Amino acid sequence: MKGVDEKLAPMIAEVLSRNAGEGEFHQAVQEVLDSLTRVIAKRPDYLNDALLERICEPERQIIFRVPWIDDKGQVQVNRGFRVQFNSALGPYKGGIRFHPSVTLGTIKFLGFEQTFKNALTGMPIGGGKGGSDFNPRGRSNGEIMRFCQSFMTELHRHLGEYTDVPAGDIGVGGREIGYMFGQYKRLTNRYEAGVLTGKALVYGGSRARTEATGYGAVYFVERMLQSRGDSVEGKRVVVSGSGNVAIYTIEKIREFGGIVVACSDSNGFVVDEAGIDLDLVKDIKEVRRARIAEYAEIKKSARYVERGHGSIWDVPCQIAMPSATQNELTDKGARSLVANGVLVVGEGANMPSTPEAVRVFKEAGVLFAPGKAANAGGVATSALEMQQNASRDSWTFEQTETRLASIMRNIHDTCAQTAEEYGEPGDYVLGANIAGFVRVAEAMRALGVI
Ligand code: NDP
Ligand code: 2IT
């Protein structure tokens, strides 16, 4: 593949220099383009018409001021983003993140990943992502509502059910989607249910969307194990995070007979050898919006380890599901997991493992499911929500979950078959990147140079 690498290397260098200082975006682009060496060797025509250069360049990047008034009457200013990355397969689709760490580079990496993830679902959705450096922590309900309204006041002109359809991500759940939908409806004077997903059932949401990302990730892991004659049943599991994805990952692992012994938030982690009490986690994180440290104050079987005093990846387990944020699992954590006998790593979050960690897993023969495949159940169910909105229909939980399970099975099998076809059986990173890329690339070529 030397010849191909020689052609790709200057292209990668050009993308990195055009997007200087955006480390997370570089990391995401590098991983996908590295996987493409094998495709280009078979299909050198993919190098034509600057197809790869176009795929790495967002179609549109919107950056805007978000002014709002806090409870003390003080004016606050945040920065809002929406990166409309690729619409070859359908309207831009992807979540909105509210977190103080958000930069343009963060949103670009997420939008890039989203494009291939959405392609893998097989559904008619393009890729986009948005967010703000707003920190929701400690903010009152009124402050959250005023921030969401101001954010949507600017963003609404760029959205539409056929244009761009956001959803939630870190810091954005049902409450925030409700406030944003309310403001969109008011500004446009249209009840356009399909413009946002992750809505509550009462005003056009889909059953199983809240659960979909976590449930889907577990379906993916179960399928990986099943294809090797094994299953989740009886396995010890560690899930990082305690937000939307982590909570429903824990719920489905339990349903499949696994035992989750640890979870975390940004301040630290809890270990409960009796099995994480999910009702308690839901009460702490979803109802009281408090810290996971409280879990160990209430549960005597648990211990709490503050951030900086240990790592959740040192807790022995057979399945690890990083479900908090990007680059939370480094090579050190990966080596610790491997030393303790981990069999499977399933990424619930987007890009939670560093490239060095992924290498450690690969060398150790650990089954590794990359986020763009394993966590695609959330956006896939968002597409099902759009489908229900378009047909003014509402499906049962069972109907929706059955669809989700079959989509996850298809994504798994597509990744596995693609990896095999390209000579790397079991390499789900390669399989996901190539299968996602080919679908986007074929659509882009059909549409001409746009
Ligand atoms: P939530 O906001 O519900 O939960 C995020 C969790 O991760 C919280 O426990 C939070 O801790 C922790 N966390 C967030 N940022 C950091 C950080 N910088 N360092 C350490 N811990 C952190 O978000 P989601 O569960 O929705 O998202 C989790 C991951 O899953 C993200 O990578 C997201 O992009 C991805 N994802 C989400 C989907 C969805 O449908 N929601 C779909 C596909 C992927 P704390 O409470 O202390 O902030
Ligand atoms: O990363 C993701 O896939 C999401 N945050 C969900 C996107 C969506 O549109 O449902």
Side-chain angles (χ1 to χ4, degrees):
M1 310 261 170
K2 199 158 168 285
V4 177
D5 284 334
E6 276 164 11
K7 286 190 186 129
L8 275 178
M11 213 220 89
I12 296 178
E14 166 74 11
V15 173
L16 303 195
S17 77
R18 274 169 76 81
N19 299 280
E22 296 176 342
E24 292 162 342
F25 182 54
H26 293 184
Q27 185 182 332
V29 167
Q30 186 94 50
E31 187 206 278
V32 169
L33 293 187
D34 282 349
S35 294
L36 295 186
T37 310
R38 285 164 194 275
V39 186
I40 308 291
K42 275 195 190 177
R43 293 282 307 274
D45 55 302
Y46 280 140
L47 288 173
N48 297 346
D49 302 329
L51 178 75
L52 297 182
E53 288 86 341
R54 281 187 286 141
I55 259 185
C56 295
E57 184 70 21
E59 288 176 17
R60 192 174 296 108
Q61 307 183 51
I62 301 146
I63 305 179
F64 51 98
R65 178 168 68 202
V66 190
W68 56 284
I69 298 174
D70 69 16
D71 285 348
K72 296 193 191 99
Q74 301 284 320
V75 176
Q76 302 280 343
V77 184
N78 285 96
R79 189 171 290 171
F81 305 93
R82 186 74 182 166
V83 174
Q84 299 180 329
F85 220 106
N86 195 302
S87 61
L89 293 173
Y92 309 106
K93 181 84 197 85
I96 289 178
R97 177 178 293 191
F98 291 165
H99 194 271
S101 65
V102 164
T103 63
L104 178 63
T106 314
I107 302 299
K108 277 166 74 177
F109 116 66
L110 289 163
F112 183 78
E113 290 284 287
Q114 195 84 47
T115 299
F116 303 104
K117 179 197 305 192
N118 293 4
L120 278 174
T121 66
M123 300 167 106
I125 42 178
K129 202 83 189 191
S132 174
D133 57 3
F134 172 67
N135 187 357
R137 172 95 58 92
R139 290 295 177 188
S140 71
N141 205 37
E143 289 176 317
I144 298 284
M145 182 177 74
R146 289 193 295 279
F147 179 81
C148 289
Q149 290 177 338
S150 181
F151 185 84
M152 188 50 91
T153 298
E154 174 57 33
L155 190 62
H156 85 281
R157 66 188 94 251
H158 305 288
L159 306 182
E161 65 176 308
Y162 296 107
T163 309
D164 186 352
V165 183
D169 194 81
I170 290 176
V172 177
R175 173 179 61 168
E176 292 74 18
I177 293 292
Y179 293 150
M180 286 193 268
F181 184 74
Q183 185 73 349
Y184 182 87
K185 187 175 78 61
R186 189 180 186 199
L187 288 165
T188 58
N189 193 29
R190 281 163 64 85
Y191 206 108
E192 194 185 331
V195 74
L196 282 169
T197 61
K199 301 182 293 298
L201 266 185
V202 67
Y203 69 93
S206 170
R207 292 186 175 81
R209 174 60 189 93
T210 306
E211 295 82 358
T213 311
Y215 279 20
V218 178
Y219 278 122
F220 194 99
V221 164
E222 176 74 351
R223 183 83 176 165
M224 279 170 117
L225 283 165
Q226 269 179 0
S227 65
R228 277 121 185 127
D230 203 348
S231 77
V232 165
E233 194 172 355
K235 300 278 189 298
R236 247 180 93 93
V237 186
V238 164
V239 178
S240 67
S242 50
N244 171 269
V245 178
I247 284 174
Y248 294 97
T249 296
I250 297 172
E251 191 161 287
K252 196 46 105 183
I253 288 280
R254 271 198 347 197
E255 248 180 80
F256 280 5
I259 168 166
V260 179
V261 292
C263 68
S264 64
D265 66 15
S266 54
N267 293 106
F269 66 94
V270 286
V271 184
D272 189 346
E273 290 294 337
I276 292 289
D277 177 341
L278 193 55
D279 290 337
L280 182 54
V281 175
K282 282 184 180 174
D283 182 54
I284 294 171
K285 301 305 283 190
E286 289 187 333
V287 182
R288 292 191 285 119
R289 299 181 190 271
R291 313 309 306 158
I292 203 67
E294 286 187 19
Y295 184 102
E297 286 161 20
I298 297 165
K299 273 258 153 169
K300 291 303 156 213
S301 54
R303 67 187 166 91
Y304 175 66
V305 182
E306 214 175 285
R307 189 178 186 155
H309 292 82
S311 163
I312 192 170
W313 311 120
D314 290 339
V315 179
C317 62
Q318 292 154 301
I319 301 175
M321 302 200 61
S323 306
T325 195
Q326 64 272 15
N327 293 326
E328 56 167 311
L329 206 183
T330 63
D331 51 339
K332 188 161 175 273
R335 278 195 297 274
S336 187
L337 284 169
V338 169
N340 287 323
V342 76
L343 301 170
V344 183
V345 175
E347 292 190 328
N350 285 307
M351 210 171 74
S353 311
T354 64
E356 296 76 26
V358 178
R359 216 166 295 136
V360 170
F361 294 136
K362 193 171 175 185
E363 280 164 16
V366 172
L367 285 177
F368 179 78
K372 65 169 77 68
N375 72 36
V379 75
T381 307
S382 278
L384 299 179
E385 183 172 333
M386 291 163 75
Q387 206 172 313
Q388 292 169 76
N389 293 150
S391 58
R392 302 188 186 281
D393 197 0
S394 175
W395 305 346
T396 65
F397 196 96
E398 291 68 34
Q399 210 177 341
T400 320
E401 197 186 350
T402 303
R403 286 287 301 271
L404 168 66
S406 113
I407 292 165
M408 296 315 295
R409 212 168 34 242
N410 283 338
I411 298 175
H412 171 278
D413 295 357
T414 302
C415 294
Q417 280 155 18
T418 308
E420 208 164 304
E421 194 184 323
Y422 284 89
E424 292 284 344
D427 187 339
Y428 288 88
V429 174
L430 192 87
N433 288 336
I434 293 182
F437 165 78
V438 167
R439 187 158 182 249
V440 177
E442 287 300 317
M444 282 178 72
R445 278 164 49 122
L447 298 177
V449 177
I450 55 171

PDB file of all heavy atoms in Angstrom, residues 93-95 114 117 129 167-169 197 209 350 378-379 382, ligand 2:
ATOM      1  N   LYS A  93     -27.961  15.875  10.307  1.00  0.00           N
ATOM      2  CA  LYS A  93     -28.574  15.282  11.497  1.00  0.00           C
ATOM      3  C   LYS A  93     -27.487  15.047  12.523  1.00  0.00           C
ATOM      4  O   LYS A  93     -26.447  14.460  12.204  1.00  0.00           O
ATOM      5  CB  LYS A  93     -29.228  13.927  11.121  1.00  0.00           C
ATOM      6  CG  LYS A  93     -29.917  13.263  12.295  1.00  0.00           C
ATOM      7  CD  LYS A  93     -31.325  13.784  12.491  1.00  0.00           C
ATOM      8  CE  LYS A  93     -31.900  13.470  13.868  1.00  0.00           C
ATOM      9  NZ  LYS A  93     -31.513  14.459  14.906  1.00  0.00           N
ATOM     10  N   GLY A  94     -27.705  15.486  13.747  1.00  0.00           N
ATOM     11  CA  GLY A  94     -26.743  15.251  14.815  1.00  0.00           C
ATOM     12  C   GLY A  94     -27.054  16.143  15.999  1.00  0.00           C
ATOM     13  O   GLY A  94     -27.791  17.119  15.873  1.00  0.00           O
ATOM     14  N   GLY A  95     -26.492  15.786  17.134  1.00  0.00           N
ATOM     15  CA  GLY A  95     -26.872  16.410  18.391  1.00  0.00           C
ATOM     16  C   GLY A  95     -26.311  17.799  18.626  1.00  0.00           C
ATOM     17  O   GLY A  95     -25.558  18.352  17.826  1.00  0.00           O
ATOM     18  N   GLN A 114     -20.153  11.961  12.865  1.00  0.00           N
ATOM     19  CA  GLN A 114     -21.599  11.772  12.686  1.00  0.00           C
ATOM     20  C   GLN A 114     -21.940  11.417  11.242  1.00  0.00           C
ATOM     21  O   GLN A 114     -22.831  10.605  10.977  1.00  0.00           O
ATOM     22  CB  GLN A 114     -22.329  13.067  13.098  1.00  0.00           C
ATOM     23  CG  GLN A 114     -23.814  12.905  13.294  1.00  0.00           C
ATOM     24  CD  GLN A 114     -24.158  12.382  14.679  1.00  0.00           C
ATOM     25  OE1 GLN A 114     -23.644  12.868  15.681  1.00  0.00           O
ATOM     26  NE2 GLN A 114     -25.020  11.386  14.757  1.00  0.00           N
ATOM     27  N   LYS A 117     -21.208   7.755  10.826  1.00  0.00           N
ATOM     28  CA  LYS A 117     -22.122   7.003  11.700  1.00  0.00           C
ATOM     29  C   LYS A 117     -23.506   6.938  11.063  1.00  0.00           C
ATOM     30  O   LYS A 117     -24.122   5.876  10.958  1.00  0.00           O
ATOM     31  CB  LYS A 117     -22.207   7.698  13.063  1.00  0.00           C
ATOM     32  CG  LYS A 117     -23.138   7.052  14.054  1.00  0.00           C
ATOM     33  CD  LYS A 117     -23.503   7.982  15.210  1.00  0.00           C
ATOM     34  CE  LYS A 117     -22.291   8.522  15.929  1.00  0.00           C
ATOM     35  NZ  LYS A 117     -22.673   9.188  17.199  1.00  0.00           N
ATOM     36  N   LYS A 129     -23.453  18.686  13.577  1.00  0.00           N
ATOM     37  CA  LYS A 129     -23.359  18.734  15.043  1.00  0.00           C
ATOM     38  C   LYS A 129     -23.371  20.183  15.474  1.00  0.00           C
ATOM     39  O   LYS A 129     -22.942  21.057  14.709  1.00  0.00           O
ATOM     40  CB  LYS A 129     -22.041  18.095  15.500  1.00  0.00           C
ATOM     41  CG  LYS A 129     -22.052  17.614  16.930  1.00  0.00           C
ATOM     42  CD  LYS A 129     -22.670  16.245  17.051  1.00  0.00           C
ATOM     43  CE  LYS A 129     -22.873  15.842  18.491  1.00  0.00           C
ATOM     44  NZ  LYS A 129     -23.226  14.412  18.581  1.00  0.00           N
ATOM     45  N   ALA A 167     -30.573  17.203  17.731  1.00  0.00           N
ATOM     46  CA  ALA A 167     -31.079  16.378  18.836  1.00  0.00           C
ATOM     47  C   ALA A 167     -30.206  16.704  20.047  1.00  0.00           C
ATOM     48  O   ALA A 167     -29.507  17.719  20.048  1.00  0.00           O
ATOM     49  CB  ALA A 167     -30.976  14.900  18.466  1.00  0.00           C
ATOM     50  N   GLY A 168     -30.205  15.843  21.066  1.00  0.00           N
ATOM     51  CA  GLY A 168     -29.389  16.087  22.257  1.00  0.00           C
ATOM     52  C   GLY A 168     -27.997  15.484  22.156  1.00  0.00           C
ATOM     53  O   GLY A 168     -27.661  14.756  21.221  1.00  0.00           O
ATOM     54  N   ASP A 169     -27.178  15.838  23.096  1.00  0.00           N
ATOM     55  CA  ASP A 169     -25.844  15.263  23.295  1.00  0.00           C
ATOM     56  C   ASP A 169     -25.473  15.651  24.735  1.00  0.00           C
ATOM     57  O   ASP A 169     -26.385  15.905  25.541  1.00  0.00           O
ATOM     58  CB  ASP A 169     -24.853  15.822  22.254  1.00  0.00           C
ATOM     59  CG  ASP A 169     -23.545  15.036  22.187  1.00  0.00           C
ATOM     60  OD1 ASP A 169     -23.521  13.980  21.532  1.00  0.00           O
ATOM     61  OD2 ASP A 169     -22.547  15.446  22.809  1.00  0.00           O
ATOM     62  N   THR A 197     -35.235  16.075  17.194  1.00  0.00           N
ATOM     63  CA  THR A 197     -35.583  14.761  17.745  1.00  0.00           C
ATOM     64  C   THR A 197     -35.114  14.676  19.195  1.00  0.00           C
ATOM     65  O   THR A 197     -34.330  15.501  19.646  1.00  0.00           O
ATOM     66  CB  THR A 197     -34.990  13.601  16.925  1.00  0.00           C
ATOM     67  OG1 THR A 197     -33.562  13.711  16.952  1.00  0.00           O
ATOM     68  CG2 THR A 197     -35.495  13.615  15.496  1.00  0.00           C
ATOM     69  N   ARG A 209     -36.499   6.485  22.208  1.00  0.00           N
ATOM     70  CA  ARG A 209     -35.379   7.357  21.827  1.00  0.00           C
ATOM     71  C   ARG A 209     -34.474   7.630  23.029  1.00  0.00           C
ATOM     72  O   ARG A 209     -33.254   7.622  22.901  1.00  0.00           O
ATOM     73  CB  ARG A 209     -35.877   8.692  21.215  1.00  0.00           C
ATOM     74  CG  ARG A 209     -34.732   9.705  20.933  1.00  0.00           C
ATOM     75  CD  ARG A 209     -33.719   9.140  19.945  1.00  0.00           C
ATOM     76  NE  ARG A 209     -32.511   9.952  19.788  1.00  0.00           N
ATOM     77  CZ  ARG A 209     -31.371   9.809  20.463  1.00  0.00           C
ATOM     78  NH1 ARG A 209     -31.266   8.884  21.424  1.00  0.00           N
ATOM     79  NH2 ARG A 209     -30.337  10.556  20.208  1.00  0.00           N
ATOM     80  N   ASN A 350     -18.601   9.263  21.919  1.00  0.00           N
ATOM     81  CA  ASN A 350     -17.929   9.525  20.646  1.00  0.00           C
ATOM     82  C   ASN A 350     -16.426   9.675  20.883  1.00  0.00           C
ATOM     83  O   ASN A 350     -16.015  10.553  21.651  1.00  0.00           O
ATOM     84  CB  ASN A 350     -18.503  10.811  20.022  1.00  0.00           C
ATOM     85  CG  ASN A 350     -19.884  10.566  19.434  1.00  0.00           C
ATOM     86  OD1 ASN A 350     -20.074   9.654  18.632  1.00  0.00           O
ATOM     87  ND2 ASN A 350     -20.863  11.365  19.845  1.00  0.00           N
ATOM     88  N   GLY A 378     -28.709   5.686  18.824  1.00  0.00           N
ATOM     89  CA  GLY A 378     -29.385   6.933  19.199  1.00  0.00           C
ATOM     90  C   GLY A 378     -29.865   7.673  17.972  1.00  0.00           C
ATOM     91  O   GLY A 378     -31.059   7.984  17.834  1.00  0.00           O
ATOM     92  N   VAL A 379     -28.927   7.928  17.050  1.00  0.00           N
ATOM     93  CA  VAL A 379     -29.321   8.688  15.862  1.00  0.00           C
ATOM     94  C   VAL A 379     -30.256   7.871  14.966  1.00  0.00           C
ATOM     95  O   VAL A 379     -31.132   8.415  14.303  1.00  0.00           O
ATOM     96  CB  VAL A 379     -28.076   9.226  15.105  1.00  0.00           C
ATOM     97  CG1 VAL A 379     -27.364   8.136  14.324  1.00  0.00           C
ATOM     98  CG2 VAL A 379     -28.478  10.370  14.172  1.00  0.00           C
ATOM     99  N   SER A 382     -33.508   8.411  16.264  1.00  0.00           N
ATOM    100  CA  SER A 382     -33.915   9.769  15.872  1.00  0.00           C
ATOM    101  C   SER A 382     -34.513   9.739  14.467  1.00  0.00           C
ATOM    102  O   SER A 382     -35.514  10.414  14.189  1.00  0.00           O
ATOM    103  CB  SER A 382     -32.714  10.713  15.879  1.00  0.00           C
ATOM    104  OG  SER A 382     -32.432  11.179  17.174  1.00  0.00           O
TER     105      SER A 382
HETATM  106  O1  2IT B   2     -23.676  11.513  18.744  1.00  0.00           O
HETATM  107  C1  2IT B   2     -24.849  11.247  18.398  1.00  0.00           C
HETATM  108  O2  2IT B   2     -25.094  10.359  17.571  1.00  0.00           O
HETATM  109  C2  2IT B   2     -25.943  11.976  19.057  1.00  0.00           C
HETATM  110  N1  2IT B   2     -25.691  12.787  19.934  1.00  0.00           N
HETATM  111  C3  2IT B   2     -27.361  11.735  18.624  1.00  0.00           C
HETATM  112  C4  2IT B   2     -27.684  12.485  17.367  1.00  0.00           C
HETATM  113  C5  2IT B   2     -29.129  12.463  16.946  1.00  0.00           C
HETATM  114  O3  2IT B   2     -29.425  13.223  16.000  1.00  0.00           O
HETATM  115  O4  2IT B   2     -29.942  11.734  17.505  1.00  0.00           O
END
